[in-house]
Amino acid sequence: KGEVDEGKLIASMIKYSPTVKPSLGIEDAIKVIQASNQSGIPVTNEKLELVGFFSEKDCLRYLYGAFYFNQIGSPVEKFMNQQVVTIKSDYKIADILKLFIENPFHIYPVVDEDNILKGTISRSDVLKEIYAIMDVMFEQSSAA
């Protein structure tokens, strides 16, 4: 019976993600989010350390202020989430699934022990990989 290699599976879920710097203007960051086809993007410093996360929800908060209070031209750091929930490089599948179940987030940054960004894992990436495993397991059980 084929065992699942958790390390390989998790590595296949981690996707490259564009990042933005905290000082970038929000209008430019919104363009990066749109081009990324993600619901948010990591904010990193020069050393690629994760310092925040800028999501579509943060964009909406900014746009609300822009429409109603004429507050435009802010940097990302003013609206980004600084208390970022991350996936560590050594997490197991169960840890990752638990994060998606217990939190409303669609995407998590993946960091190493030095808080250096390795990529992101999204809910849809997890589901895609799990569905692929289920297909293989189903084929194996029906062939038996």
Side-chain angles (χ1 to χ4, degrees), residues 29-89:
I30 289 172
K31 290 176 190 160
V32 176
I33 289 179
Q34 284 180 314
S36 75
N37 290 319
Q38 295 180 166
S39 58
I41 48 175
V43 182
T44 56
N45 63 18
E46 299 73 34
K47 300 179 203 162
L48 278 184
E49 293 167 321
L50 185 72
V51 294
F53 196 82
F54 187 65
S55 69
E56 289 175 332
K57 194 171 191 176
D58 299 322
C59 294
L60 293 173
R61 235 184 17 251
Y62 166 73
L63 291 171
Y64 179 81
F67 277 116
Y68 289 100
F69 307 108
N70 203 24
Q71 299 170 337
I72 53 174
S74 297
V76 167
E77 62 193 337
K78 189 172 176 187
F79 285 85
M80 71 182 187
N81 182 352
Q82 294 178 13
Q83 268 65 57
V84 185
V85 179
T86 60
I87 292 175
K88 303 286 190 268
S89 298

Side-chain angles (χ1 to χ4, degrees), residues 2-144:
E3 287 298 310
V4 174
D5 179 340
E6 269 200 68
K8 257 190 188 162
L9 179 63
I10 292 171
S12 70
M13 292 179 193
I14 300 173
K15 301 291 188 256
Y16 162 80
S17 175
T19 63
V20 293
K21 299 280 178 260
S23 59
L24 187 69
I26 287 185
E27 293 84 356
D28 291 327
I30 289 172
K31 290 176 190 160
V32 176
I33 289 179
Q34 284 180 314
S36 75
N37 290 319
Q38 295 180 166
S39 58
I41 48 175
V43 182
T44 56
N45 63 18
E46 299 73 34
K47 300 179 203 162
L48 278 184
E49 293 167 321
L50 185 72
V51 294
F53 196 82
F54 187 65
S55 69
E56 289 175 332
K57 194 171 191 176
D58 299 322
C59 294
L60 293 173
R61 235 184 17 251
Y62 166 73
L63 291 171
Y64 179 81
F67 277 116
Y68 289 100
F69 307 108
N70 203 24
Q71 299 170 337
I72 53 174
S74 297
V76 167
E77 62 193 337
K78 189 172 176 187
F79 285 85
M80 71 182 187
N81 182 352
Q82 294 178 13
Q83 268 65 57
V84 185
V85 179
T86 60
I87 292 175
K88 303 286 190 268
S89 298
D90 60 352
Y91 274 21
K92 301 281 179 234
I93 295 287
D95 302 323
I96 295 170
L97 293 175
K98 196 168 186 242
L99 274 178
F100 279 107
I101 291 165
E102 294 178 349
N103 296 291
F105 310 124
H106 293 253
I107 187 168
Y108 288 94
V110 181
V111 295
D112 68 11
E113 60 281 350
D114 297 319
N115 201 38
I116 302 294
L117 183 72
K118 296 297 166 197
T120 56
I121 293 181
S122 73
R123 191 186 303 173
S124 53
D125 292 333
V126 170
L127 285 170
K128 203 180 322 170
E129 294 300 328
I130 302 255
Y131 289 150
I133 291 170
M134 287 171 58
D135 280 349
V136 170
M137 287 167 55
F138 182 73
E139 284 169 20
Q140 287 173 349
S141 67
S142 62

